[in-house]
């Protein structure tokens, strides 16, 4: 989103040359913010292609390709503006820009979908857990990559689980559950029982009725396997 906004501000300088400095500055700022958000995901892809522990070499090549692609895109954009009539009409300019952006986003989505990353993040972990619980089926790497929705974040996927809740918040949520159960004449383990229940685990699990989601508190000894165990429970 920030990258698209930055390119729009940059190209708008041709329509409003009197505001060149403001538009160019906003475009540069938007692209810088977009680059900051994109770097973590690019690092994952770089690690994927670094088969010989050569992440530095892969990252350097990626930077060179990125600069070349930006220069090529800038050249094509300037050529399009100089050899067409889109600069004379805002509607024509916006339509041309929208088509190019849609093609760029579609091609990038297609490229990312073709990369089979053998790693598990929160979104993929929820997919695997959901498929195993509902259909008693364990997805392999190819199945996860083919069914993963890249447009959703891990917090938006089912089941509803919040990872990394503070310990005091977990106890407060549990106390609220105990009071609610007492009102409904039902039993709920005490806080001490909850601590004893998870004494051998690296996490604690409770339920938030207000948010309608499970809340997981991780201990200092927790690792990725602990998060998976919490999701399955």
């Amino acid at each position: 989103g920030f990258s698209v906004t930055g390119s729009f501000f940059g190209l708008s300088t041709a329509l409003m040359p009197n505001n060149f400095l403001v538009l160019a500055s906003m475009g540069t700022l938007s692209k810088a913010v977009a680059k900051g958000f994109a770097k973590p995901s690019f690092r994952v892809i770089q690690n994927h292609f670094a088969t010989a522990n050569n992440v530095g070499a892969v990252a350097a090549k990626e930077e060179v390709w990125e600069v070349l692609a930006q220069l090529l895109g800038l050249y094509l954009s300037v050529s399009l503006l100089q050899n067409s009539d889109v600069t004379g009409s805002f509607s024509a300019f916006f339509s041309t820009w929208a088509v190019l952006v849609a093609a760029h986003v579609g091609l990038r989505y297609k490229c990312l979908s073709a990369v089979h990353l053998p790693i598990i993040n929160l979104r993929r972990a929820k997919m695997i857990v959901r498929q195993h619980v509902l259909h008693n089926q364990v997805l392999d790497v190819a199945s996860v990559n083919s069914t993963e929705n890249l447009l959703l974040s891990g917090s938006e996927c089912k089941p509803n689980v919040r990872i990394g809740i503070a310990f005091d918040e977990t106890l407060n949520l549990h106390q609220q559950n105990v009071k609610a159960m007492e009102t409904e004449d039902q039993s709920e383990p005490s806080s001490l029982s909850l601590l004893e229940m998870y004494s051998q685990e690296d996490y604690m699990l409770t339920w938030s009725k207000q948010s309608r989601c499970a809340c997981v508190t991780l201990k200092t000894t927790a690792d990725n396997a602990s998060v998976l165990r919490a999701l399955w429970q």
Side-chain angles (χ1 to χ4, degrees), residues 16-231:
M16 292 174 285
N18 295 332
N19 299 320
F20 176 84
L21 181 59
V22 175
L23 293 174
S25 300
M26 294 178 65
T28 302
L29 177 61
S30 299
K31 291 181 179 179
V33 173
K35 192 171 184 178
F37 280 115
K39 278 298 180 182
S41 59
F42 284 159
R43 179 62 64 183
V44 173
I45 297 176
Q46 290 168 359
N47 290 333
H48 172 69
F49 287 103
T51 56
N53 294 327
N54 57 340
V55 181
V58 173
K61 292 179 181 178
E62 188 269 335
E63 290 289 343
V64 173
W65 295 338
E66 181 181 0
V67 172
L68 292 176
Q70 288 178 347
L71 292 176
L72 178 60
L74 183 61
Y75 171 76
L76 294 177
S77 300
V78 173
S79 300
L80 177 63
L81 292 174
Q82 290 179 344
N83 299 293
S84 64
D85 297 330
V86 296
T87 55
S89 172
F90 182 81
S91 59
F93 168 79
F94 183 79
S95 300
T96 304
W97 172 80
V99 170
L100 294 176
V101 167
H104 169 74
V105 173
L107 291 174
R108 171 165 287 192
Y109 180 81
K110 191 70 174 178
C111 293
L112 291 177
S113 301
V115 179
H116 289 182
L117 300 174
I119 58 175
I120 297 179
N121 54 21
L122 181 59
R123 178 176 55 213
R124 294 185 171 199
K126 288 185 176 182
M127 288 175 54
I128 295 174
V129 171
R130 181 179 177 85
Q131 190 71 14
H132 181 259
V133 173
L134 296 180
H135 306 287
N136 196 26
Q137 178 185 4
V138 178
L139 299 177
D140 54 12
V141 175
S143 300
V144 171
N145 280 276
S146 61
T147 58
E148 181 181 13
N149 188 350
L150 299 177
L151 301 179
L152 293 178
S153 63
S155 59
E156 296 174 327
C157 300
K158 302 294 184 179
N160 293 329
V161 180
R162 292 174 57 194
I163 305 295
I165 304 301
F167 178 72
D168 55 347
E169 184 177 353
T170 298
L171 293 182
N172 290 334
L173 289 173
H174 185 71
Q175 289 295 335
Q176 294 175 8
N177 294 338
V178 171
K179 293 180 180 179
M181 289 297 182
E182 291 177 351
T183 304
E184 299 174 1
D185 294 331
Q186 298 181 11
S187 60
E188 176 77 6
S190 62
S191 298
L192 182 60
S193 300
L194 181 68
L195 294 174
E196 293 177 349
M197 187 184 308
Y198 290 99
S199 60
Q200 302 299 320
E201 299 287 352
D202 293 328
Y203 66 91
M204 290 179 58
L205 185 65
T206 188
W207 177 260
S208 173
K209 288 189 175 182
Q210 183 177 2
S211 303
R212 299 190 62 82
C213 69
C215 299
V216 179
T217 298
L218 299 175
K219 300 180 182 178
T220 56
T221 56
D223 53 12
N224 293 335
S226 304
V227 177
L228 288 176
R229 286 176 61 87
L231 289 175

